[in-house]
Amino acid sequence: MPLRCLITAGPTREFFDPVRFISNPSSGKMGYALAVAALEAGCVVDLVSGPVALSAPAGAILHPVVTGAEMLAQVEALFSGCDILIKTAAVCDFRPKHYSSGKVKKEAVPLSVEFEPVPDILKIMAARKRTGQTVVGFAAETDDIENYARRKLVEKKLDLIVANRVGRDGGLNAFGADVNRVILLGRDGGRRELGPAGKLEIARGLVAAILEWHAARA
Ligand code: C5P
């Protein structure tokens, strides 16, 4: 039976009125490239995607979502049936505490907005992991990427984590770029660098390494 791979991609949006939201510049390119690579490797692919300007790879089962709550509900519905979860999505970590169902008038916009945390989908799923499942997270950081990634690997109880650099201050920026460079870390201490290379090439390398891990340990 083919392995079932659940991949999340793109940003999420958190609204404070029907026409205004906070989000991040994730393009979805890395997650969509992973979907292509997993399909090439013979997996069945469920792609839970935030709003992006990409079309779903042929053969992937697309589940479009907008908010973190929608992504959580969709991932919860699909998780028990998947063998491998790859959480590439740049989930918007905070959401406005108050939502106005009518458009807030310009003159009435508050000078500060209160935020509350969005549930950590990856951490919730990793805690529900059963034998035979592999959970892979991503860590987008502006600095000290490997240390932060290693901390997340432990804190969120992941099998593997992919560390990549983001930010606007020069250097390689994973958000929106076509090229990426990543470090794959395993909970067993494994470490592999991939790239700089196109996102599809990186994705193929990651999928091969994830499948290898899954076959050996899940
Ligand atoms: O803690 P941080 O947001 O940096 O962790 C990134 C990883 O956690 C990514 O794999 C992302 O998809 C996941 N995540 C999540 N739910 C959140 C925040 C992050 O699943 N609310």
Side-chain angles (χ1 to χ4, degrees), residues 8 71 86-93 118-123 136-141 152 156 158 161:
T8 71
M71 183 169 280
I86 309 178
K87 251 206 122 277
T88 323
V91 180
C92 187
D93 295 301
V118 167
D120 193 318
I121 305 167
L122 183 57
K123 197 168 177 178
V136 186
F138 267 68
E141 299 291 346
K152 271 174 209 175
K156 301 197 190 199
L158 311 177
I161 194 156

PDB file of all heavy atoms in Angstrom, residues 8 71 86-93 118-123 136-141 152 156 158 161, ligand 1:
ATOM      1  N   THR A   8       1.350  20.283   4.986  1.00  0.00           N
ATOM      2  CA  THR A   8       0.704  21.592   5.086  1.00  0.00           C
ATOM      3  C   THR A   8       1.637  22.622   4.463  1.00  0.00           C
ATOM      4  O   THR A   8       2.859  22.500   4.542  1.00  0.00           O
ATOM      5  CB  THR A   8       0.393  21.997   6.537  1.00  0.00           C
ATOM      6  OG1 THR A   8       1.616  22.298   7.216  1.00  0.00           O
ATOM      7  CG2 THR A   8      -0.364  20.920   7.277  1.00  0.00           C
ATOM      8  N   MET A  71      -6.956  25.248   9.615  1.00  0.00           N
ATOM      9  CA  MET A  71      -5.859  24.309   9.342  1.00  0.00           C
ATOM     10  C   MET A  71      -5.833  23.213  10.406  1.00  0.00           C
ATOM     11  O   MET A  71      -5.688  22.028  10.090  1.00  0.00           O
ATOM     12  CB  MET A  71      -4.509  25.037   9.263  1.00  0.00           C
ATOM     13  CG  MET A  71      -3.365  24.111   8.916  1.00  0.00           C
ATOM     14  SD  MET A  71      -1.825  24.942   8.520  1.00  0.00           S
ATOM     15  CE  MET A  71      -2.101  25.425   6.820  1.00  0.00           C
ATOM     16  N   ILE A  86       4.146  16.271   7.295  1.00  0.00           N
ATOM     17  CA  ILE A  86       5.211  17.264   7.079  1.00  0.00           C
ATOM     18  C   ILE A  86       4.574  18.637   7.205  1.00  0.00           C
ATOM     19  O   ILE A  86       3.747  19.025   6.371  1.00  0.00           O
ATOM     20  CB  ILE A  86       5.886  17.114   5.694  1.00  0.00           C
ATOM     21  CG1 ILE A  86       6.334  15.664   5.439  1.00  0.00           C
ATOM     22  CG2 ILE A  86       7.074  18.066   5.584  1.00  0.00           C
ATOM     23  CD1 ILE A  86       6.976  15.431   4.070  1.00  0.00           C
ATOM     24  N   LYS A  87       4.957  19.371   8.261  1.00  0.00           N
ATOM     25  CA  LYS A  87       4.271  20.642   8.547  1.00  0.00           C
ATOM     26  C   LYS A  87       5.094  21.830   8.090  1.00  0.00           C
ATOM     27  O   LYS A  87       5.754  22.498   8.853  1.00  0.00           O
ATOM     28  CB  LYS A  87       3.932  20.729  10.029  1.00  0.00           C
ATOM     29  CG  LYS A  87       2.489  20.598  10.168  1.00  0.00           C
ATOM     30  CD  LYS A  87       1.712  21.135  11.254  1.00  0.00           C
ATOM     31  CE  LYS A  87       0.661  22.077  10.756  1.00  0.00           C
ATOM     32  NZ  LYS A  87       1.104  23.427  10.507  1.00  0.00           N
ATOM     33  N   THR A  88       5.007  22.066   6.774  1.00  0.00           N
ATOM     34  CA  THR A  88       5.768  23.162   6.185  1.00  0.00           C
ATOM     35  C   THR A  88       5.095  24.512   6.415  1.00  0.00           C
ATOM     36  O   THR A  88       5.745  25.551   6.330  1.00  0.00           O
ATOM     37  CB  THR A  88       5.875  22.947   4.658  1.00  0.00           C
ATOM     38  OG1 THR A  88       6.015  21.563   4.411  1.00  0.00           O
ATOM     39  CG2 THR A  88       7.049  23.680   4.076  1.00  0.00           C
ATOM     40  N   ALA A  89       3.806  24.513   6.657  1.00  0.00           N
ATOM     41  CA  ALA A  89       3.045  25.769   6.716  1.00  0.00           C
ATOM     42  C   ALA A  89       3.627  26.760   7.710  1.00  0.00           C
ATOM     43  O   ALA A  89       4.068  26.382   8.790  1.00  0.00           O
ATOM     44  CB  ALA A  89       1.590  25.483   7.084  1.00  0.00           C
ATOM     45  N   ALA A  90       3.617  28.028   7.310  1.00  0.00           N
ATOM     46  CA  ALA A  90       4.012  29.113   8.217  1.00  0.00           C
ATOM     47  C   ALA A  90       2.728  29.590   8.901  1.00  0.00           C
ATOM     48  O   ALA A  90       2.087  30.543   8.461  1.00  0.00           O
ATOM     49  CB  ALA A  90       4.673  30.229   7.429  1.00  0.00           C
ATOM     50  N   VAL A  91       2.346  28.856   9.947  1.00  0.00           N
ATOM     51  CA  VAL A  91       1.117  29.187  10.664  1.00  0.00           C
ATOM     52  C   VAL A  91       1.318  30.546  11.342  1.00  0.00           C
ATOM     53  O   VAL A  91       2.338  30.767  11.991  1.00  0.00           O
ATOM     54  CB  VAL A  91       0.801  28.116  11.739  1.00  0.00           C
ATOM     55  CG1 VAL A  91      -0.481  28.460  12.482  1.00  0.00           C
ATOM     56  CG2 VAL A  91       0.715  26.729  11.106  1.00  0.00           C
ATOM     57  N   CYS A  92       0.357  31.444  11.168  1.00  0.00           N
ATOM     58  CA  CYS A  92       0.423  32.754  11.828  1.00  0.00           C
ATOM     59  C   CYS A  92       0.216  32.504  13.329  1.00  0.00           C
ATOM     60  O   CYS A  92      -0.856  32.059  13.744  1.00  0.00           O
ATOM     61  CB  CYS A  92      -0.679  33.641  11.244  1.00  0.00           C
ATOM     62  SG  CYS A  92      -0.587  35.312  11.815  1.00  0.00           S
ATOM     63  N   ASP A  93       1.272  32.731  14.117  1.00  0.00           N
ATOM     64  CA  ASP A  93       1.269  32.296  15.518  1.00  0.00           C
ATOM     65  C   ASP A  93       0.275  33.015  16.408  1.00  0.00           C
ATOM     66  O   ASP A  93      -0.103  32.512  17.447  1.00  0.00           O
ATOM     67  CB  ASP A  93       2.653  32.547  16.140  1.00  0.00           C
ATOM     68  CG  ASP A  93       3.708  31.703  15.494  1.00  0.00           C
ATOM     69  OD1 ASP A  93       3.564  30.481  15.535  1.00  0.00           O
ATOM     70  OD2 ASP A  93       4.668  32.272  14.949  1.00  0.00           O
ATOM     71  N   VAL A 118      -2.254  31.242  18.624  1.00  0.00           N
ATOM     72  CA  VAL A 118      -3.006  30.244  17.834  1.00  0.00           C
ATOM     73  C   VAL A 118      -2.508  28.878  18.306  1.00  0.00           C
ATOM     74  O   VAL A 118      -1.309  28.710  18.538  1.00  0.00           O
ATOM     75  CB  VAL A 118      -2.696  30.464  16.327  1.00  0.00           C
ATOM     76  CG1 VAL A 118      -3.165  29.303  15.479  1.00  0.00           C
ATOM     77  CG2 VAL A 118      -3.302  31.772  15.846  1.00  0.00           C
ATOM     78  N   PRO A 119      -3.393  27.891  18.493  1.00  0.00           N
ATOM     79  CA  PRO A 119      -2.921  26.569  18.944  1.00  0.00           C
ATOM     80  C   PRO A 119      -1.810  26.036  18.042  1.00  0.00           C
ATOM     81  O   PRO A 119      -1.849  26.225  16.824  1.00  0.00           O
ATOM     82  CB  PRO A 119      -4.167  25.684  18.821  1.00  0.00           C
ATOM     83  CG  PRO A 119      -5.325  26.604  18.746  1.00  0.00           C
ATOM     84  CD  PRO A 119      -4.833  27.924  18.233  1.00  0.00           C
ATOM     85  N   ASP A 120      -0.815  25.398  18.658  1.00  0.00           N
ATOM     86  CA  ASP A 120       0.304  24.840  17.900  1.00  0.00           C
ATOM     87  C   ASP A 120      -0.118  23.491  17.307  1.00  0.00           C
ATOM     88  O   ASP A 120      -0.137  22.466  17.998  1.00  0.00           O
ATOM     89  CB  ASP A 120       1.518  24.689  18.820  1.00  0.00           C
ATOM     90  CG  ASP A 120       2.786  24.407  18.033  1.00  0.00           C
ATOM     91  OD1 ASP A 120       2.730  23.605  17.074  1.00  0.00           O
ATOM     92  OD2 ASP A 120       3.827  24.980  18.358  1.00  0.00           O
ATOM     93  N   ILE A 121      -0.469  23.526  16.044  1.00  0.00           N
ATOM     94  CA  ILE A 121      -1.029  22.342  15.358  1.00  0.00           C
ATOM     95  C   ILE A 121      -0.023  21.195  15.390  1.00  0.00           C
ATOM     96  O   ILE A 121      -0.375  20.039  15.685  1.00  0.00           O
ATOM     97  CB  ILE A 121      -1.384  22.704  13.893  1.00  0.00           C
ATOM     98  CG1 ILE A 121      -2.329  23.909  13.869  1.00  0.00           C
ATOM     99  CG2 ILE A 121      -1.984  21.507  13.168  1.00  0.00           C
ATOM    100  CD1 ILE A 121      -2.495  24.547  12.498  1.00  0.00           C
ATOM    101  N   LEU A 122       1.224  21.537  15.109  1.00  0.00           N
ATOM    102  CA  LEU A 122       2.271  20.511  15.049  1.00  0.00           C
ATOM    103  C   LEU A 122       2.448  19.819  16.397  1.00  0.00           C
ATOM    104  O   LEU A 122       2.536  18.590  16.472  1.00  0.00           O
ATOM    105  CB  LEU A 122       3.573  21.188  14.606  1.00  0.00           C
ATOM    106  CG  LEU A 122       4.788  20.307  14.412  1.00  0.00           C
ATOM    107  CD1 LEU A 122       4.510  19.212  13.396  1.00  0.00           C
ATOM    108  CD2 LEU A 122       5.982  21.143  13.972  1.00  0.00           C
ATOM    109  N   LYS A 123       2.481  20.624  17.457  1.00  0.00           N
ATOM    110  CA  LYS A 123       2.685  20.070  18.797  1.00  0.00           C
ATOM    111  C   LYS A 123       1.494  19.181  19.184  1.00  0.00           C
ATOM    112  O   LYS A 123       1.675  18.098  19.763  1.00  0.00           O
ATOM    113  CB  LYS A 123       2.819  21.229  19.792  1.00  0.00           C
ATOM    114  CG  LYS A 123       3.427  20.852  21.097  1.00  0.00           C
ATOM    115  CD  LYS A 123       3.786  22.106  21.876  1.00  0.00           C
ATOM    116  CE  LYS A 123       4.341  21.741  23.225  1.00  0.00           C
ATOM    117  NZ  LYS A 123       4.735  22.932  23.972  1.00  0.00           N
ATOM    118  N   VAL A 136       7.211  15.521  10.947  1.00  0.00           N
ATOM    119  CA  VAL A 136       8.305  16.397  10.531  1.00  0.00           C
ATOM    120  C   VAL A 136       7.863  17.855  10.616  1.00  0.00           C
ATOM    121  O   VAL A 136       6.818  18.218  10.071  1.00  0.00           O
ATOM    122  CB  VAL A 136       8.724  16.091   9.068  1.00  0.00           C
ATOM    123  CG1 VAL A 136       9.962  16.903   8.681  1.00  0.00           C
ATOM    124  CG2 VAL A 136       8.950  14.599   8.849  1.00  0.00           C
ATOM    125  N   GLY A 137       8.649  18.688  11.299  1.00  0.00           N
ATOM    126  CA  GLY A 137       8.331  20.107  11.396  1.00  0.00           C
ATOM    127  C   GLY A 137       9.327  20.945  10.617  1.00  0.00           C
ATOM    128  O   GLY A 137      10.354  20.450  10.152  1.00  0.00           O
ATOM    129  N   PHE A 138       9.007  22.214  10.472  1.00  0.00           N
ATOM    130  CA  PHE A 138       9.906  23.191   9.872  1.00  0.00           C
ATOM    131  C   PHE A 138      10.197  24.271  10.894  1.00  0.00           C
ATOM    132  O   PHE A 138       9.340  24.576  11.725  1.00  0.00           O
ATOM    133  CB  PHE A 138       9.262  23.828   8.625  1.00  0.00           C
ATOM    134  CG  PHE A 138       9.632  23.122   7.348  1.00  0.00           C
ATOM    135  CD1 PHE A 138       9.175  21.838   7.101  1.00  0.00           C
ATOM    136  CD2 PHE A 138      10.430  23.743   6.408  1.00  0.00           C
ATOM    137  CE1 PHE A 138       9.529  21.172   5.933  1.00  0.00           C
ATOM    138  CE2 PHE A 138      10.789  23.094   5.235  1.00  0.00           C
ATOM    139  CZ  PHE A 138      10.337  21.813   4.999  1.00  0.00           C
ATOM    140  N   ALA A 139      11.370  24.838  10.839  1.00  0.00           N
ATOM    141  CA  ALA A 139      11.685  25.970  11.701  1.00  0.00           C
ATOM    142  C   ALA A 139      12.236  27.085  10.834  1.00  0.00           C
ATOM    143  O   ALA A 139      13.268  26.921  10.189  1.00  0.00           O
ATOM    144  CB  ALA A 139      12.714  25.560  12.755  1.00  0.00           C
ATOM    145  N   ALA A 140      11.497  28.183  10.771  1.00  0.00           N
ATOM    146  CA  ALA A 140      11.946  29.354  10.025  1.00  0.00           C
ATOM    147  C   ALA A 140      12.478  30.358  11.034  1.00  0.00           C
ATOM    148  O   ALA A 140      11.751  30.811  11.903  1.00  0.00           O
ATOM    149  CB  ALA A 140      10.771  29.954   9.246  1.00  0.00           C
ATOM    150  N   GLU A 141      13.735  30.674  10.927  1.00  0.00           N
ATOM    151  CA  GLU A 141      14.364  31.559  11.909  1.00  0.00           C
ATOM    152  C   GLU A 141      15.218  32.599  11.198  1.00  0.00           C
ATOM    153  O   GLU A 141      15.686  32.366  10.080  1.00  0.00           O
ATOM    154  CB  GLU A 141      15.279  30.744  12.846  1.00  0.00           C
ATOM    155  CG  GLU A 141      14.583  29.671  13.659  1.00  0.00           C
ATOM    156  CD  GLU A 141      13.646  30.235  14.731  1.00  0.00           C
ATOM    157  OE1 GLU A 141      13.726  31.429  15.034  1.00  0.00           O
ATOM    158  OE2 GLU A 141      12.831  29.454  15.243  1.00  0.00           O
ATOM    159  N   LYS A 152      13.155  23.200  19.139  1.00  0.00           N
ATOM    160  CA  LYS A 152      11.777  22.888  18.715  1.00  0.00           C
ATOM    161  C   LYS A 152      11.572  21.392  18.499  1.00  0.00           C
ATOM    162  O   LYS A 152      10.515  20.846  18.795  1.00  0.00           O
ATOM    163  CB  LYS A 152      11.461  23.614  17.402  1.00  0.00           C
ATOM    164  CG  LYS A 152      10.889  24.978  17.648  1.00  0.00           C
ATOM    165  CD  LYS A 152      10.708  25.758  16.388  1.00  0.00           C
ATOM    166  CE  LYS A 152      10.852  27.222  16.750  1.00  0.00           C
ATOM    167  NZ  LYS A 152      10.812  28.091  15.597  1.00  0.00           N
ATOM    168  N   LYS A 156       8.607  20.059  20.792  1.00  0.00           N
ATOM    169  CA  LYS A 156       7.383  19.621  20.112  1.00  0.00           C
ATOM    170  C   LYS A 156       7.356  18.103  19.908  1.00  0.00           C
ATOM    171  O   LYS A 156       6.444  17.576  19.286  1.00  0.00           O
ATOM    172  CB  LYS A 156       7.235  20.351  18.779  1.00  0.00           C
ATOM    173  CG  LYS A 156       7.172  21.866  18.906  1.00  0.00           C
ATOM    174  CD  LYS A 156       6.622  22.548  17.666  1.00  0.00           C
ATOM    175  CE  LYS A 156       6.812  24.063  17.767  1.00  0.00           C
ATOM    176  NZ  LYS A 156       5.950  24.822  16.859  1.00  0.00           N
ATOM    177  N   LEU A 158       9.187  16.039  17.980  1.00  0.00           N
ATOM    178  CA  LEU A 158       9.149  15.677  16.558  1.00  0.00           C
ATOM    179  C   LEU A 158      10.159  14.573  16.265  1.00  0.00           C
ATOM    180  O   LEU A 158      11.074  14.332  17.054  1.00  0.00           O
ATOM    181  CB  LEU A 158       9.492  16.909  15.711  1.00  0.00           C
ATOM    182  CG  LEU A 158       8.728  18.189  16.043  1.00  0.00           C
ATOM    183  CD1 LEU A 158       9.221  19.339  15.188  1.00  0.00           C
ATOM    184  CD2 LEU A 158       7.232  17.972  15.829  1.00  0.00           C
ATOM    185  N   ILE A 161      13.240  17.712  12.004  1.00  0.00           N
ATOM    186  CA  ILE A 161      12.908  19.121  11.778  1.00  0.00           C
ATOM    187  C   ILE A 161      13.804  19.681  10.682  1.00  0.00           C
ATOM    188  O   ILE A 161      14.970  19.299  10.566  1.00  0.00           O
ATOM    189  CB  ILE A 161      12.989  19.957  13.078  1.00  0.00           C
ATOM    190  CG1 ILE A 161      12.311  21.320  12.887  1.00  0.00           C
ATOM    191  CG2 ILE A 161      14.440  20.141  13.541  1.00  0.00           C
ATOM    192  CD1 ILE A 161      11.827  21.963  14.168  1.00  0.00           C
TER     193      ILE A 161
HETATM  194  O1  C5P B   1       7.315  27.405  16.828  1.00  0.00           O
HETATM  195  P1  C5P B   1       7.366  27.675  15.364  1.00  0.00           P
HETATM  196  O2  C5P B   1       6.175  28.430  14.845  1.00  0.00           O
HETATM  197  O3  C5P B   1       8.637  28.310  14.883  1.00  0.00           O
HETATM  198  O4  C5P B   1       7.367  26.216  14.737  1.00  0.00           O
HETATM  199  C1  C5P B   1       7.331  26.002  13.353  1.00  0.00           C
HETATM  200  C2  C5P B   1       6.714  24.661  13.070  1.00  0.00           C
HETATM  201  O5  C5P B   1       5.519  24.503  13.849  1.00  0.00           O
HETATM  202  C3  C5P B   1       6.265  24.534  11.633  1.00  0.00           C
HETATM  203  O6  C5P B   1       6.378  23.168  11.266  1.00  0.00           O
HETATM  204  C4  C5P B   1       4.813  25.008  11.673  1.00  0.00           C
HETATM  205  O7  C5P B   1       4.047  24.463  10.627  1.00  0.00           O
HETATM  206  C5  C5P B   1       4.368  24.497  13.033  1.00  0.00           C
HETATM  207  N1  C5P B   1       3.355  25.326  13.704  1.00  0.00           N
HETATM  208  C6  C5P B   1       2.062  24.854  13.866  1.00  0.00           C
HETATM  209  N2  C5P B   1       1.120  25.596  14.524  1.00  0.00           N
HETATM  210  C7  C5P B   1       1.431  26.810  15.015  1.00  0.00           C
HETATM  211  C8  C5P B   1       2.736  27.318  14.870  1.00  0.00           C
HETATM  212  C9  C5P B   1       3.680  26.551  14.199  1.00  0.00           C
HETATM  213  O8  C5P B   1       1.777  23.739  13.413  1.00  0.00           O
HETATM  214  N3  C5P B   1       0.504  27.527  15.647  1.00  0.00           N
END
